[in-house]
């Protein structure tokens, strides 16, 4: 039997370079928010790629480096460096059309932790190569050459997360650099137990995405019913808030917020159920002081 391999990988890059698209393509399932909480010593785990003999844990790195020495940037640099401790591989993403100039280099050399030689491994991942048109092939070549000459990265891999180009290759390369031979997480850890739990977490996550981050602490999602008929999965869930004003915020002007939350949650639940069609009915209810009600707390 093949030897087990596992390790931690982080993805870093400017906004919009394709980080989320790549992670979502690779990972099997998002790790639940509840699992994050258990891992306070680790940084947030974004997702896990789990196969019989391989476990790759993707973690979030907070933001992107900036060299200007404002207090905020110094704090960010500190946090980013902390988040990289113990990581086996850093994937540094850059779209194929960008120039790898001195500014870029300064930014990435800030990542060099100066710990063990060759550790963590550093990959330069050139993204969005599906967008390359005939005469733009040279741009990619020039970028690869420039990166190669830096002699900084261990590997240079052009990919497209969106069009699934070279993703298998990337996974193979990651596997070949992993050295741990025990799995850090069990199935139970990242599957979070049940479908019900997952659906609730997905809805909660979307509420977090579309509303002010502070609000969801006062919001609770309760799955009421789930049924399957003619290949359609119908889900009814209540979003429980503790006051009327919050209900109005969740619903939004002319229902815009709840629509966004519902649509995005539905799409993700469909993915969770391997692209089966889902009908999602969300109802916002006010239950005063729900945070102190045992019957609700026990269900969380
Ligand atoms: N054509 C193409 N578009 C891509 C690819 N990867 C990502 N995109 C698009 O680029 C945009 C940004 O992608 P994200 O994956 O959200 O980028 P990100 O780096 O996570 O962005 P932030 O969350 O802002 O840091 C989206 O519109 C994606 O659909 C790719 O491989 N090819």
């Amino acid at each position: 039997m093949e030897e087990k391999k596992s390790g931690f990988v982080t993805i870093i890059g400017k906004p919009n370079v394709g980080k989320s698209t790549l992670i979502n393509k690779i990972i099997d399932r998002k790790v639940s928010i509840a699992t994050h909480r258990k891992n306070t010593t680790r940084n947030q785990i974004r997702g896990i790629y789990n196969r019989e003999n391989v476990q790759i844990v993707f973690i979030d790195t907070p933001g992107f480096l900036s060299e200007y020495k404002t207090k905020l940037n110094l704090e960010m640099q500190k946090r980013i460096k902390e988040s990289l401790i113990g990581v086996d591989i850093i994937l540094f993403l850059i779209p194929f059309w960008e120039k790898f100039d001195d500014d870029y280099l300064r930014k990435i050399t800030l990542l060099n932790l100066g710990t063990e030689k060759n550790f963590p491994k550093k990959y330069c991942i050139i993204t969005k190569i599906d967008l390359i048109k005939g005469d733009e092939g040279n741009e990619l070549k020039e970028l690869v050459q420039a990166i190669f000459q830096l002699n900084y990265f261990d590997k240079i891999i052009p990919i497209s997360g969106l069009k699934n180009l070279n993703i298998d290759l990337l996974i193979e390369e990651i596997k070949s650099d992993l050295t741990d031979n025990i799995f850090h997480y069990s199935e139970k850890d990242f599957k979070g137990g049940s479908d019900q739990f997952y659906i609730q977490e997905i809805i909660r996550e979307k509420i977090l995405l579309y509303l002010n981050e502070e609000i969801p602490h006062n919001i609770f999602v309760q799955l009421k019913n789930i049924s399957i008929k003619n290949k359609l999965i119908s889900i009814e869930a209540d979003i429980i808030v503790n006051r009327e004003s919050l209900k109005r915020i969740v619903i939004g002007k002319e229902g815009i917020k709840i629509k966004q939350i519902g649509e995005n949650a539905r799409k993700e639940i469909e993915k969770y159920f391997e692209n089966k069609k889902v009908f999602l009915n969300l109802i916002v209810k006010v239950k005063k002081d729900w945070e102190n009600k045992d019957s609700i707390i026990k269900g969380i």
Side-chain angles (χ1 to χ4, degrees), residues 14-21 128 130-131 160-162:
K14 286 184 184 171
N16 228 25
V17 291
K19 298 182 289 295
S20 306
T21 309
K128 308 195 185 185
D130 59 291
L131 293 176
S160 164
L162 200 66

Side-chain angles (χ1 to χ4, degrees), residues 212-240:
N212 183 324
E213 294 219 359
E214 298 302 312
I215 289 174
H217 299 295
N218 298 321
I219 290 180
F220 165 61
V221 179
Q222 193 170 35
L223 195 73
K224 298 295 283 183
N225 189 32
I226 172 162
S227 62
I228 305 176
K229 207 173 174 189
N230 299 334
K231 291 188 186 160
L232 177 75
I233 303 176
S234 293
I235 298 169
E236 270 175 56
D238 288 346
I239 297 175
I240 295 168

Side-chain angles (χ1 to χ4, degrees), residues 261-281:
I261 293 165
E263 273 177 13
N264 283 280
R266 176 184 54 77
K267 281 186 199 148
E268 195 146 332
I269 296 168
E270 284 180 344
K271 269 196 230 153
Y272 174 78
F273 284 111
E274 283 147 5
N275 295 325
K276 292 204 176 64
K277 273 223 125 349
V278 167
F279 171 76
L280 176 64
N281 187 17

